[in-house]
Each structure stands twice: as structure tokens, then as C-alpha cells.
Amino acid sequence: MKRTLSLRLILWYLLYGIAGFVVLSTFTVSMTSKTMLKQEAHNLYRESAIIASNYATTYYSRELSLEDFQRQMETLEQYLSGEIWIIDKNGKLLIRSNDASAMEHALSGTYDTIEGFDIASFGNSYSQTGTFYDCFNRDMLTVFSPVTINYKVRGYVLIHKPVNTIITNANTYTNLSFYSVGIFFVLGLLILWILTHTIVKPIRQITDVAKKYAKGDFTQKIAISSSGEIGYLSNTLNFMAHELNTREEEQRKFISNVSHDFRSPLTSIKGYIEAMLDGTIPVEMQEKYLHIILSETERLNKLTKSLLDLNQFGRHGIMLDKADFDINQLIRNTLLTFEGTCNKKDITFEVILTGKELYVKADMSKIQQVLYNLIDNAIKFSHTNSSIKIETRLRNDKCFISIKDHGIGIPSESVKKIWERFYKTDLSRGKDKKGTGLGLSIVKEIINAHQENIDCISTEGVGTEFVFTLPISDREN
């Protein structure tokens, strides 16, 4: 069975919790016991020091009877929950708080003696654990304080407390820690389960829709309204799907337009050639149709060149051969190529150029292509006996080049679409049957490659003006 993200997260959390409990049950219990023993030894030592400096000193100074001393030690035993011994330097047991017979022996002059007693066995510490010279049948925590009178050690106060009692107290605190950690672990597991389902559910939805995107279905939308990272991801994927769907539609439209623009002249060429071969077109009329075939091949050649240009401009990092050149002179030279066409339509040029020379910094061949396409468009859509105004002007270190015709104009709803590949307005379709619909797309790509701007201002039935910018060269500054 394939593990889901939520299952993996819960499994990892459980492993983490188990590891935490193992650490808690080993290191924490051990450290708690050691800490409690150390703390209890410190507390008992403090009490033994008080007994040695107050009660025992008074007894050794004969200010307190042995019976009274015994009663006080019995009372303190109840308070400390530990057995109190008073012994001399040689290990003779004088007082034992829970056994009055030691006192009776002391009164009779006979003492219980701790075999092998040596205070040096404590070393540098004031406490030790064990059976204390086999006096006990279980481990005891033993602390001592010397009884000092006139700077001489007369004996020792020993306090014994069962180790298992201290460990039991430590385990009580440890159990409380276990209960607290267990409660937080369960609450954490519940929160993790809620969070994983809150996250995993939209991720599953995104995954399902992404699979449809992979199959080419970009119509599906991810319905997640979250404002967090998941919501941002879903919105990004929705935007991506919209863009891909738009690109796919544009690609289909592009292929359809290319196919149509190639099929139309090819059909004409094929039809005329077949008519010549089967004799439908007589020999004396073949020259006329051969010119038509030549015109159609030129149209195909122009379409192919335009497609290659667009493919070049569409790549990132297009290389431009920028140089300083006179834009006024380039405009004059470009206008010369349209002299014959303008004479046929009685179209004149009104040229208003700033200065005798005006240098800009750009790729001259590409800008010449821009001028050619814009002027060619202006001539195509201008009325007979009209004029085309071409102007250059300076503003804020930019050169503005304007080409304005007095022709059929562009409908307002089509102005924004004229830069699309193969786009033709309804007005232009009847007037420009030989156009490819790629000229303005190429113009836009070239100007964008120069990181400059181009605008179109048009009024239907009045005319159209194209204005683009170029940077002024350093020679003009």
C-alpha cells in the first residue's frame, strides 16, 4: 500500500515520541534519582551540622542529660524521616534515635561498636550510600558531621535514610513528568492529524488537477481559497494553466493561420499549372498566369521570411548590432523604395525631420525593417490622392518617430490586437489580400528587443499614426 504524506508524518511523529520516551525513561529517570540523592544528602548534612553544633555539643558539655538527648533525637528522627546516630571517634555507638538500648548500654558503660569504622572512608565527601559497615540490610544514604569542642573532634553525628525512600520520591516526580509528556504527546498527535489533513487534502486536489494538466487539459481549476503557501501555490498553478491554455490556443491559431496562408497561394499555383498542362489555359495566355504564379511564390517567400524573422525575435537574448546612425537619412533612403508605388496611388509624403542630422543608437538594419513595414502599411491603407506624414522630434533624450496616414483607420476594438501574429482587421482583409498579418508583429518584436516603446493611435475612417522611440546617441548630447 502506498503511504500517504499524512501517514508518513504521523509515523515519523510516533517514532519521535517513542525515542523521546526512551530518552526520558533512561537518562531522565537516572538524572532525577541522582539529583534527588544529592539534594537529600545536602539537606541531611545541613541538619546533621545543626545537631552537631547545638544538641551534641550541649550533651558533651554536660549541659544536657543523655535521656533528654535521646528524646530530642527521637523527635528529630520523625521530622527527618531518617535514623540519627551519635558515635565517638572510635566507632562506639552512644545514641541511636530509634533504639533506646544503645543509650542504656552507654549508661552502663558498655557500648555497641561499629566494626572497622573509619571516618576516612567518606573521603572528601560528607555522604555515602551503602549498608554502612553491614549495619543495615538495605542501601542507606549516610551523612556525617563532626562534633567539635574546643577545636577537638569528640565524635560524629550520622544520619541514615533509606535510598529506596528517596528513589520512590524521585519516581513520583518522574511519573508526573511522564504523565505531562504523555498528555502533550497525545495533544500533539491530534494537532498533527488535523494539520496533515488540512494540508494533505488541498495537496491531493492540486495533484489530481496537475495530472490533468500533464495530459493537456488546462480547463480544470484548483478551488482553494487559502491565503497561505498552499493558496499561493494553487493560484500560481491556476495562472500557469491559464497561460498554457492561452498559449496552446495561440499555437493552434498560429498553425491554422500559417496553414491557411500557405495553402491559399499553393492552391492557386497548383490550379494554374494544372490548367496549363491540360490545355485549359491557351498558350497565348500562359504568360499572364505565369506572372500570377510568380506573384504567389513571392508571397510565399515573404511569408517564410517573416516567420523566420519572428522566430529570431522570439528567442531570449537576441543579439542587436547597435551603432550610431542618422535616423533622418535612413528615413529618406527608405522612402525612395516606395516611389513607384506612391506614384501609382498619387500618394505624397510630408516629411518633417528635426535638424539636418539626428543620430540615434540602435540596430540600423532592424530599424530600417521597422520603417519599411510601417510605411508599407501606411501606403496600403491610405486613400488615393492622400498624404503620409513622417516626423522626427526630440523629447527627454529620446527620438520619437511618427508615421501617420490618412486612410481607412483601425476600429477601436482592434487596436490592441494588431500586434498579434496573423491578425487582420475586417477592414484590412478586403483591402490587403496579399498581406501576411506578420508585419506589425515583427515591428513590435524589434522595438521590444531595443527596450523601447511603440504606440498606435487610430480613428476609423480618418487614419492611423504609429509612434516609436529610439535612444539619442552620445553624439547628440
Side-chain angles (χ1 to χ4, degrees), residues 316-340:
H316 293 291
I318 178 175
M319 297 299 294
L320 295 174
D321 185 16
K322 290 185 178 182
D324 296 335
F325 63 90
D326 183 4
I327 186 66
N328 289 346
Q329 186 59 44
L330 184 63
I331 291 172
R332 296 187 191 100
N333 293 340
T334 305
L335 291 176
L336 294 176
T337 62
F338 294 99
E339 186 175 349

Side-chain angles (χ1 to χ4, degrees), residues 22 51 85 103 121 124 130 164 207 222 308 337 350 389 405:
V22 170
I51 294 172
W85 291 4
M103 179 192 68
S121 64
N124 296 326
N164 62 350
T207 303
I222 303 172
L308 291 174
T337 62
E350 181 185 356
K389 182 180 179 180
D405 65 59

Side-chain angles (χ1 to χ4, degrees), residues 355-421:
K356 186 176 180 180
E357 295 177 340
L358 180 56
Y359 282 89
V360 295
K361 190 176 186 65
D363 188 320
M364 187 173 70
S365 62
K366 297 294 190 298
I367 299 304
Q368 186 174 24
Q369 189 175 3
V370 169
L371 290 170
Y372 184 91
N373 286 348
L374 293 178
I375 295 172
D376 183 52
N377 259 22
I379 293 172
K380 287 177 183 178
F381 302 114
S382 290
H383 298 299
T384 304
N385 298 319
S386 64
S387 65
I388 297 173
K389 182 180 179 180
I390 301 175
E391 182 180 3
T392 60
R393 57 184 181 273
L394 294 176
R395 187 184 303 164
N396 299 330
D397 295 330
K398 293 285 185 180
C399 175
F400 288 76
I401 299 96
S402 168
I403 298 163
K404 183 177 181 180
D405 65 59
H406 299 85
I408 60 175
I410 303 172
S412 58
E413 66 273 10
S414 300
V415 171
K416 292 183 179 180
K417 299 179 181 180
I418 59 175
W419 310 110
E420 298 176 7
R421 299 177 182 186

Side-chain angles (χ1 to χ4, degrees), residues 342-356:
C342 290
N343 289 336
K344 290 179 182 179
K345 295 184 66 173
D346 292 327
I347 294 176
T348 59
F349 290 110
E350 181 185 356
V351 182
I352 304 174
L353 305 177
T354 299
K356 186 176 180 180

Side-chain angles (χ1 to χ4, degrees), residues 168-186:
T168 300
N169 293 334
N171 289 339
T172 302
Y173 290 110
T174 303
N175 290 336
L176 290 175
S177 299
F178 273 111
Y179 296 146
S180 300
V181 171
I183 293 172
F184 281 110
F185 178 78
V186 173

Side-chain angles (χ1 to χ4, degrees), residues 213 216-221 241 245:
Y213 291 167
D217 181 9
F218 302 111
T219 59
Q220 299 294 323
K221 299 298 180 184
N245 193 41

Side-chain angles (χ1 to χ4, degrees), residues 118 295 416 452:
D118 184 4
S295 175
K416 292 183 179 180
E452 295 296 330

